[in-house]
Amino acid sequence: MQAIVLAAGIGERMHSSRPKVLHEIFGRPILDYVLEVLADLGIRRAKVVIGHGGEQVRSFLKKRGAFPRTEVVYQRHQKGTGHAVICAKKSFRGYQGDILIWPGDMPLLKRETLEAFLGAHRNAKADASVLSSLQADPAGYGRILRAGGRFYAIREELDASEIERRIQEVNSGIYLFKSKQLFEALRRIKPSNRKNEFYLTDTIEVLYRSKARLEAFPLALPDEGHGINSRQDLGEVIGIMKNREIQKHQAAGVTFVAPDQTFVAPGVSIGKDTVIYPWSYIESGVKIGKDCEIGPFAKIRKGTSIGDGAVVGSFVELNRSRLGKKVLAKHLTYLGDAQIGDDTNIGAGTITANYDGKRKHKTKIGKKVLIGSDTVFVAPVTVGDRARTGAGSVITRGSKIKKGELVAGVPARSLKRKG
Ligand code: UD1
Ligand code: CA
């Protein structure tokens, strides 16, 4: 199967200087989610139609390593979704199979759903199938028109009558077309609508008149059909995605004290019986062990892993850091590029000064270390097992604190330990 991703639109309703498909959800562009699912489906040669902000989209694709497999098609003037598909026609010369069309602004669709859609389309031997969804508030979407149950057209909101507007079955914007039928129908659509655009959706009525087999299959979960047209949509989609993740972790044995007030990106792993307190923000790729306590107000950034039984408390930020088992960092701390051994206690207010203005440096702290409150580590620094720092110590750059050593002061010096 082949696929076209539509990503040339101006995204007017976003009121942004950035192309819509490059707006981010948990640090990844909307388009990235679409391409990921396509690759999971085994479609690695998607044609992406770009235009508005095309250079930015292209450089994102390049950075993502999408080339040479992905093909970019330019739509110089955005004359509508139908016109966008016409622009990709050349790439399908000689191709007879099905074409999946996916607007680049719909990142919630799951692979399993698309597989079921493809199965239904093939079972029905349809020439064109649309993935529809039932929306309590259908405003903004194209409506699915049926006569005696049979799907025959899609009516855009602006062109719909009062009665048509009440229809709650809407076009998700995902289609499967037989290649030949698609391009034949596209030759016959006209921009005779309120927006004066060539609507892809008008191909349905054209195909209906030529007696083609048409189907509209409603999505089981309408959430997946949520597109992004405005900042409000973007906020809603982020919320849906975050809730999906939290529900997945809950099902696997993680407690969220306030799920609505917690942010967990996709691609996070959390062990059983860990409790996450409100207002914590956990980025993609983070690994948290079992029996941990996180938050309230913890920010856990990329590249961080936390061992079993650790506590990361209020106003603690972790970045590219590895915490061992039962590490306690309970209050007001920044640990960046740090590696902390098992059973170490990080006192309140501890900071790793990991950035010298040019480069990031590492802080390595051993096992069973006791870090006094308000210690600053000017990285690079290493601290041996069972060492201690006094409250308010500044451990200067390049320091190597030995096993069991006690240091204190500004700059920190070695002290004799009593007993
Ligand atoms: C479209 C559908 C509507 C459906 C909705 C689902 C049409 C006419 N309408 O409306 O029935 O309910 O999606 O979300 O298709 N694009 C281009 N070139 C263009 C215009 C658009 O590449 O000239 C791209 C956009 O970047 C976007 C996608 O096509 O990714 C959809 O365009 P958009 O303007 O968002 O269409 P909707 O108004 O949402
Ligand atoms: Ca849209």
Side-chain angles (χ1 to χ4, degrees):
M1 192 174 46
Q2 300 262 13
I4 306 178
V5 177
L6 304 180
I10 190 159
E12 225 164 43
R13 290 161 279 183
M14 295 296 280
H15 299 287
S16 175
S17 51
R18 186 195 287 219
K20 176 164 74 177
V21 294
L22 295 187
H23 279 263
E24 292 187 348
I25 300 174
F26 287 110
R28 286 168 59 197
I30 297 168
L31 183 59
D32 200 36
Y33 290 89
V34 173
L35 296 176
E36 184 180 48
V37 176
L38 278 176
D40 280 356
L41 273 172
I43 303 175
R44 296 182 176 279
R45 296 173 179 278
K47 325 268 183 252
V48 183
V49 183
I50 62 175
H52 180 79
E55 277 319 305
Q56 281 163 272
V57 179
R58 178 196 273 280
S59 68
F60 157 70
L61 289 169
K62 194 168 168 204
K63 215 173 86 195
R64 193 183 189 276
F67 300 127
R69 283 174 285 133
T70 304
E71 190 184 317
V72 152
V73 176
Y74 266 94
Q75 184 193 22
R76 306 247 165 240
H77 303 285
Q78 284 74 59
K79 293 191 255 180
T81 47
H83 178 251
V85 175
I86 292 171
C87 292
K89 184 176 173 180
K90 271 212 304 271
S91 323
F92 292 97
R93 200 166 282 155
Y95 176 69
Q96 296 292 329
D98 288 315
I99 300 179
L100 172 71
I101 300 182
W102 190 342
D105 62 356
M106 289 193 49
L108 288 171
L109 219 68
K110 293 185 187 164
R111 184 187 113 185
E112 306 86 81
T113 306
L114 286 162
E115 279 169 352
F117 177 48
L118 182 62
H121 168 77
R122 292 199 169 148
N123 264 340
K125 299 197 166 52
D127 295 302
S129 299
V130 173
L131 199 56
S132 67
S133 77
L134 292 169
Q135 297 287 342
D137 174 15
Y141 290 99
R143 309 297 202 276
I144 299 291
L145 305 190
R146 294 179 185 266
R150 296 239 36 106
F151 168 47
Y152 72 93
I154 299 173
R155 187 81 71 241
E156 289 309 298
E157 166 122 343
L158 280 177
D159 307 301
S161 68
E162 197 57 41
I163 288 170
E164 286 167 341
R165 278 184 200 200
R166 281 186 226 150
I167 297 171
Q168 287 177 309
E169 188 183 4
V170 303
N171 170 25
S172 74
I174 307 273
Y175 320 81
L176 277 162
F177 283 96
K178 282 195 181 142
S179 170
K180 187 162 157 269
Q181 278 80 348
L182 170 64
F183 292 110
E184 271 175 21
L186 281 169
R187 283 213 313 249
R188 290 155 60 194
I189 59 169
K190 297 189 184 69
S192 46
N193 48 57
R194 288 281 295 280
K195 281 172 101 179
N196 298 316
E197 286 187 353
F198 291 91
Y199 285 166
L200 176 58
T201 44
D202 284 347
T203 56
I204 298 297
E205 230 168 329
V206 170
L207 288 169
Y208 178 76
R209 280 194 238 108
S210 64
K211 308 260 183 305
R213 270 202 81 90
L214 304 173
E215 296 287 348
F217 299 108
L219 275 168
L221 301 166
D223 269 0
E224 283 187 55
H226 205 316
I228 298 173
N229 293 322
S230 61
R231 303 276 180 164
Q232 191 187 340
D233 290 331
L234 179 61
E236 281 164 15
V237 166
I238 292 171
I240 292 168
M241 207 175 270
K242 151 194 121 57
N243 290 342
R244 266 189 196 174
E245 294 308 313
I246 288 180
Q247 281 155 17
K248 216 165 64 189
H249 293 299
Q250 286 172 324
V254 178
T255 293
F256 291 85
V257 171
D260 284 348
Q261 281 75 32
T262 306
F263 297 81
V264 181
V268 169
S269 78
I270 309 177
K272 256 193 219 168
D273 292 318
T274 283
V275 179
I276 316 268
Y277 290 90
W279 307 112
S280 296
Y281 187 94
I282 304 170
E283 290 185 354
S284 188
V286 166
K287 293 192 172 71
I288 300 174
K290 54 184 185 187
D291 298 310
C292 294
E293 277 178 44
I294 307 291
F297 296 98
K299 181 177 185 188
I300 307 180
R301 297 168 58 187
K302 289 197 181 85
T304 295
S305 70
I306 298 171
D308 297 344
V311 179
V312 174
S314 41
F315 305 100
V316 172
E317 175 169 345
L318 306 178
N319 194 13
R320 293 182 305 272
S321 288
R322 218 161 76 213
L323 274 55
K325 290 181 185 157
K326 295 193 174 160
V327 166
L328 306 180
K330 292 174 107 170
H331 338 264
L332 301 157
T333 283
Y334 172 66
L335 300 173
D337 300 296
Q339 193 182 313
I340 320 267
D342 297 348
D343 301 301
T344 284
N345 187 86
I346 306 286
T350 296
I351 303 288
T352 55
N354 60 329
Y355 184 49
D356 62 11
K358 285 204 186 96
R359 285 193 294 149
K360 308 272 168 69
H361 302 279
K362 294 201 155 73
T363 299
K364 277 192 190 159
I365 299 176
K367 296 178 182 170
K368 298 193 171 155
V369 174
L370 205 58
I371 304 299
S373 292
D374 209 15
T375 297
V376 177
F377 293 101
V378 185
V381 169
T382 60
V383 180
D385 295 346
R386 290 184 307 281
R388 302 179 64 155
T389 70
S393 309
V394 175
I395 318 295
T396 48
R397 199 182 150 127
S399 298
K400 292 195 169 91
I401 299 172
K402 295 193 204 66
K403 271 190 180 175
E405 194 179 359
L406 167 65
V407 300
V410 183
R413 293 174 213 285
S414 195
L415 300 181
K416 280 257 157 54
R417 282 175 88 161
K418 285 183 193 139

